Amino acid sequence: MKLIKQINMLLLPALFALSLPVLAMNLQQAMAALGNAKAQGLVGEQANGYLGVVQNSNDAADIVKLINDARRAEYARLAQQNNIAVADVEAMAGKKAIERTSSGHFILLDGNWVQKR
């Protein structure tokens, strides 16, 4: 009986660790969840071209991280392709993202999250 408990104690963490990737969100899921996260006021756009977490939740943080990582890679690709600084691409993307943000969704202005009118 003691051996079975020891085996269980070893197997349960291993099984849990194997299940973690299944629980993690991928980029496609993050993109699909973005509209709802913005509508709920969890996520907003920033002038630097990246998303930010407005209200802390695990899903919001995952969405922001995955999408920002993809944006960062795309900004770097565009900067290299056009022989300009990544910061310039980020600034242009941020300006465009804020302009395109729907009324009622959050944007970061002067360090504060505000709902766009």
Side-chain angles (χ1 to χ4, degrees):
M1 191 61 123
K2 189 173 181 177
L3 180 60
I4 293 173
K5 283 185 180 181
Q6 288 175 339
I7 291 172
N8 283 341
M9 294 300 290
L10 292 172
L11 287 178
L12 288 177
L15 290 173
F16 180 74
L18 290 173
S19 69
L20 285 178
V22 175
L23 298 175
M25 183 180 291
N26 64 34
L27 179 59
Q28 186 177 9
Q29 291 166 324
M31 294 296 291
L34 180 59
N36 193 35
K38 283 183 172 184
Q40 291 179 15
L42 300 175
V43 182
E45 292 288 349
Q46 303 177 100
N48 65 1
Y50 298 100
L51 293 170
V53 175
V54 178
Q55 287 187 1
N56 201 4
S57 83
N58 286 340
D59 284 346
D62 289 345
I63 291 167
V64 166
K65 182 185 179 340
L66 288 165
I67 293 175
N68 282 350
D69 288 348
R71 286 183 180 186
R72 192 171 289 107
E74 181 63 10
Y75 297 162
R77 186 189 69 75
L78 288 169
Q80 183 177 19
Q81 179 181 348
N82 293 290
N83 199 28
I84 59 175
V86 173
D88 292 338
V89 176
E90 291 169 337
M92 287 184 281
K95 182 178 186 293
K96 191 173 283 191
I98 287 176
E99 289 171 358
R100 291 181 176 173
T101 296
S102 299
S103 179
H105 290 189
F106 283 87
I107 55 175
L108 188 65
L109 291 179
D110 300 322
N112 297 308
W113 288 108
V114 296
Q115 284 185 296
K116 187 174 176 185
R117 296 180 184 204

PDB file of all heavy atoms in Angstrom, residues 21-39:
ATOM      1  N   PRO A  21       0.494  22.097 -20.957  1.00  0.00           N
ATOM      2  CA  PRO A  21       0.432  22.659 -22.294  1.00  0.00           C
ATOM      3  C   PRO A  21      -0.978  22.639 -22.882  1.00  0.00           C
ATOM      4  O   PRO A  21      -1.346  23.507 -23.655  1.00  0.00           O
ATOM      5  CB  PRO A  21       1.385  21.771 -23.107  1.00  0.00           C
ATOM      6  CG  PRO A  21       2.314  21.222 -22.100  1.00  0.00           C
ATOM      7  CD  PRO A  21       1.494  21.061 -20.844  1.00  0.00           C
ATOM      8  N   VAL A  22      -1.771  21.671 -22.503  1.00  0.00           N
ATOM      9  CA  VAL A  22      -3.148  21.607 -22.992  1.00  0.00           C
ATOM     10  C   VAL A  22      -3.961  22.761 -22.426  1.00  0.00           C
ATOM     11  O   VAL A  22      -4.836  23.307 -23.087  1.00  0.00           O
ATOM     12  CB  VAL A  22      -3.785  20.246 -22.606  1.00  0.00           C
ATOM     13  CG1 VAL A  22      -5.244  20.189 -22.977  1.00  0.00           C
ATOM     14  CG2 VAL A  22      -3.013  19.105 -23.251  1.00  0.00           C
ATOM     15  N   LEU A  23      -3.660  23.146 -21.170  1.00  0.00           N
ATOM     16  CA  LEU A  23      -4.392  24.223 -20.519  1.00  0.00           C
ATOM     17  C   LEU A  23      -3.960  25.605 -21.028  1.00  0.00           C
ATOM     18  O   LEU A  23      -4.719  26.550 -20.935  1.00  0.00           O
ATOM     19  CB  LEU A  23      -4.185  24.154 -19.003  1.00  0.00           C
ATOM     20  CG  LEU A  23      -4.693  22.898 -18.310  1.00  0.00           C
ATOM     21  CD1 LEU A  23      -4.305  22.935 -16.844  1.00  0.00           C
ATOM     22  CD2 LEU A  23      -6.191  22.749 -18.463  1.00  0.00           C
ATOM     23  N   ALA A  24      -2.756  25.722 -21.515  1.00  0.00           N
ATOM     24  CA  ALA A  24      -2.236  27.007 -21.953  1.00  0.00           C
ATOM     25  C   ALA A  24      -2.940  27.482 -23.222  1.00  0.00           C
ATOM     26  O   ALA A  24      -3.310  26.696 -24.079  1.00  0.00           O
ATOM     27  CB  ALA A  24      -0.732  26.891 -22.201  1.00  0.00           C
ATOM     28  N   MET A  25      -3.107  28.781 -23.321  1.00  0.00           N
ATOM     29  CA  MET A  25      -3.745  29.393 -24.475  1.00  0.00           C
ATOM     30  C   MET A  25      -2.714  29.533 -25.592  1.00  0.00           C
ATOM     31  O   MET A  25      -1.546  29.801 -25.337  1.00  0.00           O
ATOM     32  CB  MET A  25      -4.264  30.770 -24.057  1.00  0.00           C
ATOM     33  CG  MET A  25      -5.025  31.504 -25.125  1.00  0.00           C
ATOM     34  SD  MET A  25      -5.620  33.129 -24.558  1.00  0.00           S
ATOM     35  CE  MET A  25      -6.851  32.664 -23.376  1.00  0.00           C
ATOM     36  N   ASN A  26      -3.148  29.360 -26.844  1.00  0.00           N
ATOM     37  CA  ASN A  26      -2.245  29.594 -27.967  1.00  0.00           C
ATOM     38  C   ASN A  26      -2.638  30.904 -28.649  1.00  0.00           C
ATOM     39  O   ASN A  26      -3.651  31.523 -28.299  1.00  0.00           O
ATOM     40  CB  ASN A  26      -2.232  28.411 -28.934  1.00  0.00           C
ATOM     41  CG  ASN A  26      -3.562  28.160 -29.606  1.00  0.00           C
ATOM     42  OD1 ASN A  26      -4.315  29.095 -29.896  1.00  0.00           O
ATOM     43  ND2 ASN A  26      -3.874  26.910 -29.873  1.00  0.00           N
ATOM     44  N   LEU A  27      -1.836  31.328 -29.614  1.00  0.00           N
ATOM     45  CA  LEU A  27      -2.067  32.617 -30.270  1.00  0.00           C
ATOM     46  C   LEU A  27      -3.428  32.668 -30.948  1.00  0.00           C
ATOM     47  O   LEU A  27      -4.130  33.678 -30.855  1.00  0.00           O
ATOM     48  CB  LEU A  27      -0.951  32.911 -31.273  1.00  0.00           C
ATOM     49  CG  LEU A  27      -1.083  34.215 -32.057  1.00  0.00           C
ATOM     50  CD1 LEU A  27      -1.143  35.418 -31.119  1.00  0.00           C
ATOM     51  CD2 LEU A  27       0.063  34.360 -33.043  1.00  0.00           C
ATOM     52  N   GLN A  28      -3.816  31.610 -31.602  1.00  0.00           N
ATOM     53  CA  GLN A  28      -5.109  31.590 -32.290  1.00  0.00           C
ATOM     54  C   GLN A  28      -6.256  31.786 -31.295  1.00  0.00           C
ATOM     55  O   GLN A  28      -7.185  32.541 -31.550  1.00  0.00           O
ATOM     56  CB  GLN A  28      -5.273  30.272 -33.043  1.00  0.00           C
ATOM     57  CG  GLN A  28      -6.523  30.211 -33.895  1.00  0.00           C
ATOM     58  CD  GLN A  28      -6.605  28.918 -34.682  1.00  0.00           C
ATOM     59  OE1 GLN A  28      -5.841  27.992 -34.484  1.00  0.00           O
ATOM     60  NE2 GLN A  28      -7.556  28.862 -35.590  1.00  0.00           N
ATOM     61  N   GLN A  29      -6.163  31.126 -30.151  1.00  0.00           N
ATOM     62  CA  GLN A  29      -7.187  31.284 -29.120  1.00  0.00           C
ATOM     63  C   GLN A  29      -7.164  32.701 -28.550  1.00  0.00           C
ATOM     64  O   GLN A  29      -8.216  33.284 -28.276  1.00  0.00           O
ATOM     65  CB  GLN A  29      -6.980  30.265 -28.003  1.00  0.00           C
ATOM     66  CG  GLN A  29      -7.252  28.842 -28.431  1.00  0.00           C
ATOM     67  CD  GLN A  29      -6.733  27.823 -27.430  1.00  0.00           C
ATOM     68  OE1 GLN A  29      -5.684  28.025 -26.827  1.00  0.00           O
ATOM     69  NE2 GLN A  29      -7.467  26.736 -27.267  1.00  0.00           N
ATOM     70  N   ALA A  30      -5.983  33.264 -28.386  1.00  0.00           N
ATOM     71  CA  ALA A  30      -5.859  34.631 -27.877  1.00  0.00           C
ATOM     72  C   ALA A  30      -6.493  35.619 -28.845  1.00  0.00           C
ATOM     73  O   ALA A  30      -7.209  36.530 -28.428  1.00  0.00           O
ATOM     74  CB  ALA A  30      -4.392  34.972 -27.635  1.00  0.00           C
ATOM     75  N   MET A  31      -6.226  35.430 -30.134  1.00  0.00           N
ATOM     76  CA  MET A  31      -6.818  36.320 -31.139  1.00  0.00           C
ATOM     77  C   MET A  31      -8.349  36.213 -31.122  1.00  0.00           C
ATOM     78  O   MET A  31      -9.042  37.221 -31.238  1.00  0.00           O
ATOM     79  CB  MET A  31      -6.269  35.980 -32.528  1.00  0.00           C
ATOM     80  CG  MET A  31      -4.796  36.263 -32.695  1.00  0.00           C
ATOM     81  SD  MET A  31      -4.364  38.002 -32.569  1.00  0.00           S
ATOM     82  CE  MET A  31      -5.094  38.626 -34.068  1.00  0.00           C
ATOM     83  N   ALA A  32      -8.841  34.998 -30.968  1.00  0.00           N
ATOM     84  CA  ALA A  32     -10.294  34.795 -30.928  1.00  0.00           C
ATOM     85  C   ALA A  32     -10.908  35.423 -29.679  1.00  0.00           C
ATOM     86  O   ALA A  32     -12.054  35.896 -29.718  1.00  0.00           O
ATOM     87  CB  ALA A  32     -10.618  33.306 -30.983  1.00  0.00           C
ATOM     88  N   ALA A  33     -10.175  35.465 -28.587  1.00  0.00           N
ATOM     89  CA  ALA A  33     -10.689  35.992 -27.326  1.00  0.00           C
ATOM     90  C   ALA A  33     -10.490  37.503 -27.186  1.00  0.00           C
ATOM     91  O   ALA A  33     -11.071  38.118 -26.289  1.00  0.00           O
ATOM     92  CB  ALA A  33     -10.011  35.278 -26.161  1.00  0.00           C
ATOM     93  N   LEU A  34      -9.697  38.100 -28.048  1.00  0.00           N
ATOM     94  CA  LEU A  34      -9.338  39.508 -27.899  1.00  0.00           C
ATOM     95  C   LEU A  34     -10.543  40.436 -27.917  1.00  0.00           C
ATOM     96  O   LEU A  34     -10.665  41.318 -27.071  1.00  0.00           O
ATOM     97  CB  LEU A  34      -8.331  39.926 -28.969  1.00  0.00           C
ATOM     98  CG  LEU A  34      -7.881  41.388 -28.925  1.00  0.00           C
ATOM     99  CD1 LEU A  34      -7.239  41.720 -27.584  1.00  0.00           C
ATOM    100  CD2 LEU A  34      -6.918  41.668 -30.068  1.00  0.00           C
ATOM    101  N   GLY A  35     -11.438  40.275 -28.860  1.00  0.00           N
ATOM    102  CA  GLY A  35     -12.604  41.164 -28.959  1.00  0.00           C
ATOM    103  C   GLY A  35     -13.436  41.144 -27.694  1.00  0.00           C
ATOM    104  O   GLY A  35     -13.849  42.196 -27.191  1.00  0.00           O
ATOM    105  N   ASN A  36     -13.664  39.976 -27.170  1.00  0.00           N
ATOM    106  CA  ASN A  36     -14.444  39.840 -25.944  1.00  0.00           C
ATOM    107  C   ASN A  36     -13.699  40.443 -24.754  1.00  0.00           C
ATOM    108  O   ASN A  36     -14.301  41.106 -23.907  1.00  0.00           O
ATOM    109  CB  ASN A  36     -14.771  38.369 -25.695  1.00  0.00           C
ATOM    110  CG  ASN A  36     -15.825  38.191 -24.635  1.00  0.00           C
ATOM    111  OD1 ASN A  36     -16.742  38.989 -24.512  1.00  0.00           O
ATOM    112  ND2 ASN A  36     -15.698  37.132 -23.865  1.00  0.00           N
ATOM    113  N   ALA A  37     -12.388  40.242 -24.700  1.00  0.00           N
ATOM    114  CA  ALA A  37     -11.588  40.800 -23.608  1.00  0.00           C
ATOM    115  C   ALA A  37     -11.611  42.327 -23.647  1.00  0.00           C
ATOM    116  O   ALA A  37     -11.683  42.975 -22.597  1.00  0.00           O
ATOM    117  CB  ALA A  37     -10.157  40.279 -23.681  1.00  0.00           C
ATOM    118  N   LYS A  38     -11.576  42.898 -24.841  1.00  0.00           N
ATOM    119  CA  LYS A  38     -11.665  44.356 -24.970  1.00  0.00           C
ATOM    120  C   LYS A  38     -13.056  44.839 -24.553  1.00  0.00           C
ATOM    121  O   LYS A  38     -13.188  45.834 -23.839  1.00  0.00           O
ATOM    122  CB  LYS A  38     -11.367  44.793 -26.404  1.00  0.00           C
ATOM    123  CG  LYS A  38      -9.900  44.773 -26.750  1.00  0.00           C
ATOM    124  CD  LYS A  38      -9.684  45.300 -28.162  1.00  0.00           C
ATOM    125  CE  LYS A  38      -8.223  45.468 -28.479  1.00  0.00           C
ATOM    126  NZ  LYS A  38      -8.010  46.068 -29.811  1.00  0.00           N
ATOM    127  N   ALA A  39     -14.084  44.138 -24.996  1.00  0.00           N
ATOM    128  CA  ALA A  39     -15.459  44.523 -24.661  1.00  0.00           C
ATOM    129  C   ALA A  39     -15.721  44.442 -23.158  1.00  0.00           C
ATOM    130  O   ALA A  39     -16.492  45.240 -22.618  1.00  0.00           O
ATOM    131  CB  ALA A  39     -16.446  43.640 -25.423  1.00  0.00           C
TER     132      ALA A  39
END
